[in-house]
């Protein structure tokens, strides 16, 4: 846990408006963790952790730190862990008797012991009144709670006698914060917010937790923290300063031929960094947004007025002698201003929903323009919110080491050794194409922080030096080590969890100058394969290829299923079944050469021999293996054989297959019988059930109604 941790404790009293103000207060005060009792609703979000009855919940600010992990939950309690701290939200209704409280605390006691060695905070509303936490009067429940806290080693953090629950008839201290002694010593500024409108009879409790002390490393121990990649503000780019710095860099740059390839690359990259420092100020992380979508200056002013009216009423009640008429007048003013605030908040939320609803009539109107201006807010990346062991495990699964003794198969026929020709030098047209691409793309830079637009400006004066470096790379067949390094960014997929590497998408950000060389090599490869005298790529591959898309893959599939249904081929007249199968395997993203190299390597799989009645359709690494048969049994047997052949080829390349992500689907003609109930296919050591539908190339197809009908309906929606 780095830096201070801000915690908020509240009770919203089942009020929707009070819960709205709680969320706004979290954003306004940059609260990291909040524990709320008597909530209006607990949304199904990974940032929320509620009990079994939604009476208490813990919520965290999205991507503000480690994720929230639920350890236990029950009626009136929830235990959620964030990093090395456990937050326990507890609520016990005042309508339940003392016997029920004893049983409730008997359940909580063992849970506290199971949380060791974690530090624990308990935010409770047990409706127990005791002088131990500042309430002048006591009730029978206080003894049970005091004994439970003493046995669990949880001293109360409440300081003073400020009432946490205030009603017109009086007030009390029933909201209590407990903590283990080790983390209690790090708590700063525990306080009750008396002057803030909450729309509830409970007040907010706030406190901060200081970071743990850092032990000084000995002189013999070296510590290496996380490297900070340089970043500059592209919106403040000064083109004239960039050109002046590039001219100065050209004069000061020594001849690159005097250095080795890696050192020459480093020299040139240093010049590009100097250009960035001269032309742009350093980029600063944008502060977190301190308001919800419906918040406005008008609502902020009304809430301030409510806070003032509330303070006036509280001060009036404390005055002696007491003036009943004055107190009643101030109370009515407070109630009236509170109702106005509630009404304005409801109108603001309704107006926002109407604005979002206008997307149906005008997709590129005001909502779109507003979203473009507000999607730039930055938050902590996933890699910064994970624990080191979790991050190491995820990266290890995404980028496994090469198996020991692995030898890739020979994909081409061996030819007699001939004298290798010298690659042609980089031409002016190739450099211009690379520079044009740098200028047109607005992407995040690589580890050096040099943006493509700045590099394009600098190449107006340093282009000859970079082209000379490219020629050396092509002649030597080497790629500089600095251009092989990249920034790893983990993008969450739908249903992201910190325990699964398959729910994140790894994106590697590479330096723009290295990507320019990759673009030149990739264009030469494509020209050789697709337009020159090269062997070409398989017609079954639709991914990473110009003028091919998922629509073309669906066209091929539609043709195959149409032939199976109408019998356009001789031996397929009696067929009525087509098996679909998808085999998933990852491919690096954001690399220019990665896609074409993937297609070249995967082409060996697509050209593998299959039995009659089988076929393959592929989009990148999504592989569909289909077969035709006179009935389900024959089609299933054929597709199992075909999949074994495809999987064996994939394993020869060092690739694996996720059986848990594999799906099977049966297309049948009119009047044909479907698969028997519970039908499965044997794939290696696993079995996969037949599914009524399957996702393919970002679409879905169903088995009811015949193959052409399914694809036609999908096709209409797609267009």
């Amino acid at each position: 846990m780095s830096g201070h941790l801000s915690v908020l404790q509240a009770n919203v009293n089942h009020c929707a408006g009070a819960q709205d103000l709680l969320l706004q207060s979290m954003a306004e005060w940059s609260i990291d963790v909040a524990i709320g009792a008597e909530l209006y609703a607990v949304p199904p979000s990974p940032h929320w952790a509620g009990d079994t009855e939604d009476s208490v919940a813990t919520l965290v600010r999205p991507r503000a730190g480690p994720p929230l992990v639920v350890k236990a939950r029950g009626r009136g309690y929830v235990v959620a862990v964030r990093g090395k701290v456990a937050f326990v939200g507890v609520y016990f209704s005042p309508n339940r008797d003392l016997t029920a409280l004893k049983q409730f605390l008997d359940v909580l006691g063992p849970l506290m012991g199971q949380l060791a060695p974690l530090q624990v905070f308990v935010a409770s509303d047990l409706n127990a009144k005791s002088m131990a936490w500042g309430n002048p009067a006591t009730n029978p429940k206080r003894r049970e709670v005091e004994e439970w806290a003493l046995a669990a080693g949880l001293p109360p953090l409440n300081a003073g006698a400020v009432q946490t629950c205030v009603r017109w008839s009086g007030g009390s201290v029933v909201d209590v914060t407990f903590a283990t002694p080790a983390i209690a010593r790090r708590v700063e500024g525990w306080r009750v917010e008396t002057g803030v409108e909450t729309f509830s009879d409970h007040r907010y409790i706030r406190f901060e937790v200081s970071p743990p002390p850092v032990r000084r490393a000995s002189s013999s121990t070296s510590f290496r923290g996380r490297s900070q990649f340089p970043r500059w503000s592209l919106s403040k780019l000064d083109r004239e300063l960039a050109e002046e710095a590039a001219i100065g860099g050209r004069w000061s740059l020594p001849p690159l031929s005097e250095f080795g390839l890696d050192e020459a690359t480093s020299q040139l990259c240093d010049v590009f960094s100097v250009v960035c420092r001269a032309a742009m100020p350093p980029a600063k992380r944008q502060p977190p947004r301190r308001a919800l979508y419906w918040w406005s200056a008008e609502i902020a002013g009304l809430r301030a007025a409510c806070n003032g009216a509330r303070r006036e009423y509280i001060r009036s009640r404390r005055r002696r002698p007491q003036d009943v008429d004055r107190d009643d007048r101030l109370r009515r003013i407070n109630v009236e201003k509170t109702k106005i605030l509630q009404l304005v908040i409801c109108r603001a939320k309704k107006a926002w929903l109407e604005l979002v609803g206008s997307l149906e009539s005008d997709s590129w109107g005001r909502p779109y323009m507003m979203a473009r201006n507000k999607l730039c807010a930055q938050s902590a990346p996933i890699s910064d919110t994970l624990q080191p062991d979790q991050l190491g495990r995820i990266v290890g699964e995404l980028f496994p080491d090469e198996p020991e003794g692995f030898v890739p198969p020979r994909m081409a026929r061996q030819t007699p050794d001939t004298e290798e020709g010298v690659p042609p030098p980089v031409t002016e047209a190739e450099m211009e194409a690379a520079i044009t691409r740098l200028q047109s793309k607005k992407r995040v830079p690589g580890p050096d922080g040099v943006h493509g637009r700045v590099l394009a400006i600098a190449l107006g004066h340093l282009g000859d030096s970079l082209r000379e470096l490219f020629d050396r790379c092509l002649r030597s067949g080497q790629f500089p080590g600095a251009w092989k390094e990249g920034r790893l960014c983990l993008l969450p997929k739908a249903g992201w969890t910190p325990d699964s590497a398959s729910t994140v998408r790894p994106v590697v950000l590479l330096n723009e100058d290295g990507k320019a060389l990759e673009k030149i090599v990739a264009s030469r490869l494509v020209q050789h394969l697709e337009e020159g005298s090269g062997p070409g790529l398989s017609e079954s591959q639709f991914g990473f290829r110009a003028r091919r898309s998922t629509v073309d893959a669906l066209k091929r599939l539609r043709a195959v299923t149409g032939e199976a249904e109408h019998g356009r081929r001789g031996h397929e007249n009696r067929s009525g079944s087509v098996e679909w199968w998808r085999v998933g395997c990852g491919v690096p993203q954001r690399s220019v050469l990665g896609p074409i190299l993937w297609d070249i390597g995967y082409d060996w799989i697509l050209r593998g021999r299959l039995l009659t009645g089988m076929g393959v359709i592929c989009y990148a690494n999504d592989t569909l293996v289909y077969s035709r048969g006179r009935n389900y049994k024959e089609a299933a047997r054929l597709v199992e054989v075909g999949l074994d052949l495809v999987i064996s080829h994939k394993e020869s390349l060092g690739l694996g297959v996720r059986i848990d992500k594999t799906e099977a689907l049966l297309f049948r003609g009119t009047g044909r019988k479907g698969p028997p109930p519970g039908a499965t296919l044997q794939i290696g050591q696993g079995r996969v059930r037949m599914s009524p539908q399957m996702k393919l190339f970002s679409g879905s197809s169903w088995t009811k109604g015949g193959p052409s009908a399914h694809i036609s309906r999908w096709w209409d929606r797609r267009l």
Side-chain angles (χ1 to χ4, degrees), residues 540 553 557 578-583 602 606 610 615-619 621-626 643 646 663 665 694-697:
S540 299
L557 179 61
V578 178
E579 288 285 344
W580 283 19
W581 202 271
R582 186 181 66 178
V583 180
Y602 210 76
L606 300 180
L610 295 174
V616 178
I617 299 176
C618 183
Y619 186 85
N621 62 321
D622 287 345
T623 307
L624 175 78
V625 180
Y626 63 88
L643 281 166
V646 173
E663 299 173 88
L665 179 66
M694 179 176 66
K695 292 182 179 179
L696 178 68
F697 309 146

Side-chain angles (χ1 to χ4, degrees), residues 641-654:
V641 174
L643 281 166
D644 286 341
L645 293 174
V646 173
I647 292 175
S648 64
H649 280 75
K650 290 171 69 73
E651 292 176 346
S652 299
L653 293 178

Side-chain angles (χ1 to χ4, degrees), residues 499-537:
D499 299 326
S500 176
S502 61
T503 58
V504 295
R505 178 176 289 106
V507 174
V508 180
L509 305 178
L510 303 172
N511 291 341
E512 294 292 338
D513 42 5
K515 288 164 66 175
L517 176 59
E518 289 190 40
K519 180 64 177 178
I520 293 173
V521 176
S523 62
R524 291 185 177 184
L525 283 174
V526 171
Q527 185 178 7
H528 172 71
L529 291 172
E530 304 284 2
E531 304 171 7
S533 59
L537 295 174

Side-chain angles (χ1 to χ4, degrees), residues 200-495:
S200 171
D201 51 11
H202 289 256
R203 293 167 169 169
Y204 293 149
I205 295 176
R206 288 179 61 188
F207 59 91
E208 287 75 36
V209 184
S210 62
V214 180
R215 296 182 179 179
R216 292 184 176 271
S218 61
S219 58
S220 60
T221 304
S222 61
F223 175 80
R224 182 180 179 182
R226 292 185 178 180
S227 61
Q228 298 294 328
F229 297 107
R231 295 180 66 247
W232 290 279
S233 179
L234 184 64
S235 61
K236 300 178 181 179
L237 171 64
D238 190 324
R239 297 183 62 90
E240 293 184 0
L241 290 179
E243 291 193 7
E244 292 177 2
I247 294 173
R250 183 185 60 184
W251 292 342
S252 61
L253 183 67
L256 298 181
S257 57
E258 299 178 359
F259 304 96
L261 186 60
D262 287 335
E263 190 174 355
T265 304
S266 179
Q267 291 280 345
L268 192 57
C269 290
D270 290 342
V271 174
F272 293 145
S273 298
V274 170
V275 174
C276 289
R277 284 196 295 269
M280 297 176 291
K284 297 181 180 179
R285 184 177 295 275
Q286 296 183 1
R289 189 179 179 187
R290 298 183 180 273
L292 298 183
Y293 64 91
W294 46 264
W295 191 257
S296 64
E298 178 188 5
I299 297 177
L302 291 175
R303 190 183 188 187
C306 286
N307 295 338
R310 187 185 185 92
R311 284 194 297 268
E312 288 293 330
Y313 171 67
I314 293 174
R315 291 171 183 171
S316 176
R317 292 189 59 183
R318 293 175 181 172
R319 294 175 185 172
R320 294 294 182 270
Q322 190 171 6
D323 189 337
V324 178
D325 294 337
R326 181 189 61 203
D327 293 347
D328 186 62
R329 177 175 56 83
L330 293 177
R331 183 184 67 83
R332 289 197 303 269
I333 293 175
N334 185 21
V335 171
E336 183 180 355
K337 291 188 176 182
T338 301
K339 290 182 178 179
I340 294 175
L341 177 59
Q342 290 176 332
L343 180 62
V344 173
I345 290 177
C346 291
R347 288 178 178 174
K349 295 177 69 175
K350 183 179 179 181
W352 177 263
L353 294 177
E354 292 176 353
L355 179 65
V356 175
S358 65
L359 280 171
E360 296 294 335
S361 58
D362 187 6
S363 302
W364 308 104
R366 185 182 174 192
Y368 170 75
M369 301 303 296
M370 293 176 63
R372 285 191 59 186
N373 295 330
K374 293 185 178 181
L375 286 179
C376 299
Q378 299 179 0
S379 57
I382 292 180
S383 56
D384 289 351
T385 64
L386 295 174
Q387 297 296 325
D389 55 341
Q390 290 179 322
L391 181 60
R393 179 179 52 78
I394 290 178
V395 173
E397 292 182 17
L398 293 174
F399 303 96
D401 296 331
E402 182 177 326
E404 186 176 355
F406 171 73
V407 179
R410 181 176 294 276
M411 301 181 187
R413 297 178 181 178
Q414 190 170 3
T415 57
D417 294 337
T418 57
E419 183 179 355
E420 295 184 359
V422 179
V426 178
T427 63
E428 287 281 354
E430 289 176 326
M431 285 297 295
E432 289 181 3
I435 294 176
T436 302
R437 179 180 178 275
L438 293 175
Q439 291 176 331
S440 61
K441 297 292 183 179
K442 186 178 180 181
R443 292 183 175 178
V444 182
D448 60 359
V450 179
H451 198 278
R453 294 184 182 178
V454 183
L455 185 61
I457 296 174
L459 290 182
H461 305 279
L462 296 166
D464 293 339
S465 300
L466 185 61
R467 192 198 308 177
E468 176 188 347
L469 189 60
F470 286 173
D471 290 336
R472 289 182 59 184
C473 293
L474 294 177
R475 289 195 302 268
S476 63
Q478 297 179 359
F479 201 77
W483 292 346
K484 296 179 182 179
E485 298 176 353
R487 292 176 56 189
L488 175 63
C489 296
L490 302 178
L491 304 181
K493 299 180 182 178

